[in-house]
Amino acid sequence: MAEDVAIDPWSTDGETDYSRIVNKFGLETVDHSTLPNPGMLHRRGIIFAHRDLDVATRCIRDKSPLGVLTGLMPSGRMHLGHSMVIEQVKWFQEHGADVTVAVADLEALATRGTSISQGRKIALDEYVLNYAALGLDPSETNVYFQSSRPEVQRLGFTLGRRTNLSEFESIYGFSGDTNLAHVQAPLVQVGDIVHPQLDEFGGLRPIVVPVGIDQDPHLRLTRDIVGKSNWFNIKEKKSGGLTISLSIQPENSSIFGIGNGGRVDRATRDDLFSNIIDSISSLGFADFSTNPKHGTIDIPGATRSDKYPIRMNLLGIERNLGGLGLMPPCSTYHRFAPGMTGGKMSSSKPETTIFMNDTIEEMSKKVNRSISGGRSTVEEHRRLGGDCSKDISFQYLQYFFEPEDSAIREIRRDYESGRLLAGEIKKICIEKATIWLKEISDNRDFWRGRTEDFIAQDSI
Ligand code: TRP
């Protein structure tokens, strides 16, 4: 969760109207019933929105390759808020996805002045150790540092050609006095998000990026840039069927048969089209209507659900012809758990959150002091019941500490009916948080000194 306003102007600052956010950013809402074994955060509606999650779940269903990517800012201490993304990463990993973790050491250097060596130490001692403790599988996890992966930086530069300052102005609210570090960092992040699709890092496959809503601007930027880089577009026709069209760019114009003066070279164009038709025919389509001059191929028999396999084939062709052949990333968005004292959680305000390595005493003290949904007197509480939507103990049981849905339902029922008092729900929260923190602390002891298994070869 970035505290950097210049980069994340739409961090939701107290914004809890999630349906407004969904509309404003053009997200899809999550239908949990379509997920195989939805995890706790899914079942409880904490993952509230997505982009192209169906592409990722299709890979899970078909057991075809799927990557998941997350990034961490190596600053401050890891706390509860950070653990939500890891829970999601774990869920995808348990369903067959490979995992890539970007340590944003260049971003921390550029935007916060954290040195590379300092960033490395914080990433390893604080974040990677806790990721291991939360249960990520080292044999399927690759942690790398932005500063050690030239391919990521090169992609950031290459793809920078597909955007401009106006887009940064509209996505991030930049203006003339914006520090250029804040222009560079999102481009490196685009490189992070896209690079697992490169042949050296697993090849063409969907990549899903679970994030908090504050990171959505980066996903919109990435999806937009990727779309502009694609050599082939696919559109649904109003009359039914799909149309493939060529996107002519300087790097593909001669391959696409554009000669001097913009004239179309028929022989080159015909070769390209038969190449495309051969590839799409292998998916079972037989009927095509082509317009080589305009650079379009209609597939009348194809429907919306054929878009994905057709796109994969076209991206394969683009790669064979020398293009990048990139897919737009999929993403999921989680709600932010409220801070313990009323505002947002923040690493720089320890009283607002529980750190992964807080002691039981520290945690208990914070829970006891946290915002309660109880009434001012016992009589009133018994009569009116507690307010779960305000009660931090209830919220944290639901977000983090109580894995059993039936237990959550019971606690809610008892609290709202007034049977359970504010002090009692705090006690339950402390008990469950104690179990949670102890397990993570034991796991940290196990993994300390052994996290090298998680680190990618280029970053050891
Ligand atoms: N910008 C992210 C943050 O502030 C860190 C990050 C870098 C990231 N690269 C990423 C997050 C890629 C998700 C995906 O926390």
Side-chain angles (χ1 to χ4, degrees), residues 1-2 8 69-73 102 104 107 146 189 192-193 209 211 215 218:
M1 271 180 288
D8 297 301
L69 178 121
T70 183
L72 66 93
M73 183 68 124
E107 179 177 351
Q146 286 176 333
Q189 184 155 345
D192 288 330
I193 292 171
V209 187
V211 288
Q215 296 293 307
H218 300 302

Side-chain angles (χ1 to χ4, degrees), residues 237-256:
K237 280 173 66 120
K238 283 211 190 73
S239 52
L242 298 175
T243 301
I244 299 170
S245 58
L246 305 183
S247 165
I248 310 232
Q249 303 169 17
E251 39 280 272
N252 64 24
S253 60
S254 69
I255 297 165
F256 280 3

Side-chain angles (χ1 to χ4, degrees), residues 385-410:
D387 182 350
C388 288
S389 70
K390 286 210 188 93
D391 198 281
I392 294 298
S393 293
F394 179 80
Q395 294 286 321
Y396 283 19
L397 284 164
Q398 188 176 36
Y399 271 80
F400 308 110
F401 305 135
E402 178 50 75
E404 295 297 332
D405 292 349
S406 57
I408 286 287
R409 272 195 295 274
E410 219 169 278

Side-chain angles (χ1 to χ4, degrees), residues 1-4 7-8 69-74 82 85 100-105 107 111-112 144 146 185-186 188-193 209-211 214-215 218-219:
M1 271 180 288
E3 285 141 15
D4 200 309
I7 290 202
D8 297 301
L69 178 121
T70 183
L72 66 93
M73 183 68 124
H82 299 116
V85 158
T100 310
V101 180
V103 177
D105 60 347
E107 179 177 351
T111 64
R112 300 177 181 202
Y144 75 94
Q146 286 176 333
V188 178
Q189 184 155 345
V190 170
D192 288 330
I193 292 171
V209 187
V211 288
D214 62 316
Q215 296 293 307
H218 300 302
L219 282 141

Side-chain angles (χ1 to χ4, degrees), residues 212 309 315 428 434:
L315 291 173
I428 298 175
T434 301

Side-chain angles (χ1 to χ4, degrees), residues 215-233:
Q215 296 293 307
D216 186 54
H218 300 302
L219 282 141
R220 272 184 295 135
L221 176 69
T222 308
R223 289 169 63 89
D224 187 62
I225 288 180
V226 164
K228 286 180 184 152
S229 80
N230 287 158
W231 289 14
F232 305 100
N233 297 319

Side-chain angles (χ1 to χ4, degrees), residues 72 82 84 95-96 149 159 183 215 267 272 298-299 304 343 381 402 427 430 448 452:
L72 66 93
H82 299 116
M84 273 188 276
H95 288 82
R149 198 161 271 189
L159 294 172
V183 177
Q215 296 293 307
L272 173 68
D298 281 357
I299 319 170
R304 191 179 194 174
H381 190 90
E402 178 50 75
K427 209 166 143 239
I430 289 169
R448 199 168 284 111
E452 210 167 276

